Amino acid sequence: MTATSQPAIELTNLTKRFGSVTALDAVTFDVPRGSIYGFLGPNGAGKTTAIKILAGLTHATSGGATVDGIRASAEGAHRRSLGYLAQEPRFYDWMSGRETLRYVAGFYDGIDHPERRADELIRLVGIADAADRKVKTYSGGMRQRLGIAQALVGRPSVVVLDEPAAALDPIGRRDVLELLRALRSEATILYSTHILEDVQRISDHVAILDHGRLVRAAATQDLLASFSTDRLVVVLGGASDSTAVDVATLPGVAGVTIAGPSNGGLGFEVATRPGAGDAAQAAITRYAADHGLVLISNQREVLDLESVFLRLVDPQEVAA
């Protein structure tokens, strides 16, 4: 395996027990290099435990994890490749943001000019206007930006962030998400969260934990596509309410609900018979052409990440 094809992070049968409690149960997945990887799960699922093992802050009971091909351990040889942000970052509040980054940069042997590196990161994370203010005056979003900058000081190829936007208001969350998107060119990013909307917005891969076990790991769009439903989202230009009656009689169609105006046409939710989705789509396309209607949309309904997540981890949803 070449350096470029090797995953940035590999978890292999990663297991962690605290007495009789199994926090992680043989978790295995890879984080592709250059990805933004969402690490999901309910509270207590084991996300923070896995991240602490990656950071070298605790050890696995069995199995293991690597960062850039180097085994994660308390000795920390892998940390040269790793930047880490804890769920609740702590700073010396009497320091300014600039002083904080210069201080951290001083711990890295390969950084000859800590003040220059601090200035680079201040610009990168967007806190230039507050760089010389004391950290105790920073908002939650600004503290998270400073924490991400701190994680990047050593120019890591992999950045691991534990709930970087959990305690932020919508504006702060948006700012942090945009920052993570901008960092894609700098490093591979693995971040844990329970805010599913955020993950669907920026993550190209996801792994879902529940009770310490891996439920699913996949590219985000592949995961969503695997949960397409037996319903079609149809929008027809030039249609009327009576069109629903006609569509309901088409091959493969089990029922039609008028959804209202949409994208310059009239929207319909079309339930299809089991296994007849393709036939229903084709019939609707022919119907639109035969009746002089503009076919604006004729797609299978795809669940959002929150709906998929609930189906995978909620016992009532799984039973349904």
Side-chain angles (χ1 to χ4, degrees):
M1 182 179 293
T2 65
T4 54
S5 63
Q6 182 184 57
I9 297 174
E10 296 179 271
L11 277 61
T12 305
N13 293 321
L14 188 64
T15 300
K16 178 66 177 179
R17 298 187 183 92
F18 297 95
S20 61
V21 176
T22 300
L24 295 171
D25 189 358
V27 174
T28 299
F29 67 88
D30 297 342
V31 176
R33 193 169 301 278
S35 64
I36 299 179
Y37 205 109
F39 195 24
L40 314 179
N43 290 335
K47 304 185 301 296
T48 293
T49 299
I51 283 177
K52 285 184 175 180
I53 291 173
L54 285 171
L57 299 178
T58 188
H59 64 276
T61 304
S62 62
T66 65
V67 177
D68 264 358
I70 304 171
R71 186 175 179 84
S73 66
E75 290 72 29
H78 69 295
R79 292 181 188 172
R80 296 187 186 93
S81 300
L82 181 71
Y84 167 64
L85 175 65
Q87 185 170 353
E88 297 181 0
R90 295 286 187 264
F91 305 102
Y92 293 120
D93 282 352
W94 50 269
M95 285 186 175
S96 69
R98 192 186 308 276
E99 289 168 338
T100 298
L101 294 177
R102 287 178 177 176
Y103 174 71
V104 173
F107 287 98
Y108 289 86
D109 293 336
I111 300 178
D112 296 329
H113 301 284
E115 66 285 350
R116 186 182 304 167
R117 181 59 177 156
D119 291 345
E120 291 172 355
L121 291 169
I122 285 167
R123 291 191 296 271
L124 178 65
V125 302
I127 58 170
D129 291 344
D132 296 309
R133 283 169 37 191
K134 294 187 184 301
V135 174
K136 66 182 178 182
T137 69
Y138 281 18
S139 67
M142 291 167 62
R143 293 176 74 91
Q144 290 298 84
R145 284 175 174 269
L146 179 61
I148 293 170
Q150 180 178 267
L152 293 169
V153 166
R155 295 186 176 87
S157 58
V158 178
V159 178
V160 176
L161 310 173
D162 193 2
E163 297 278 3
L168 304 181
D169 60 26
I171 294 175
R173 277 174 47 209
R174 179 202 63 195
D175 290 348
V176 168
L177 291 177
E178 289 304 313
L179 175 56
L180 296 188
R181 200 194 307 271
L183 292 177
R184 181 192 294 273
S185 61
E186 299 276 331
T188 300
I189 299 169
L190 170 71
Y191 75 105
S192 71
T193 185
H194 60 273
I195 306 173
L196 303 177
E197 177 187 350
D198 293 351
V199 176
Q200 187 165 346
R201 190 184 310 172
I202 69 165
S203 300
D204 40 31
H205 290 76
V206 296
I208 299 174
L209 286 188
D210 188 30
H211 294 93
R213 295 183 178 181
L214 181 68
V215 177
R216 192 73 62 87
T220 307
Q221 292 307 313
D222 290 347
L223 177 63
L224 297 178
S226 71
F227 280 83
S228 61
T229 71
D230 290 329
R231 290 190 294 271
L232 302 176
V233 178
V234 177
V235 180
L236 297 172
S240 65
D241 290 358
S242 63
T243 304
V245 178
D246 293 342
V247 172
T249 66
L250 297 176
V253 174
V256 180
T257 301
I258 300 172
S262 175
N263 296 325
L266 186 60
F268 303 89
E269 294 178 1
V270 179
T272 64
R273 301 186 189 281
D278 291 344
Q281 279 184 292
I284 290 169
T285 299
R286 287 194 300 270
Y287 173 85
D290 292 344
H291 291 77
L293 304 177
V294 178
L295 188 64
I296 299 171
S297 175
N298 183 15
Q299 304 293 327
R300 287 183 183 272
E301 179 187 53
V302 177
L303 299 179
D304 62 16
L305 187 57
E306 180 176 357
S307 300
V308 169
F309 178 85
L310 290 174
R311 288 197 179 193
L312 289 172
V313 305
D314 186 282
Q316 293 181 346
E317 291 285 339
V318 171

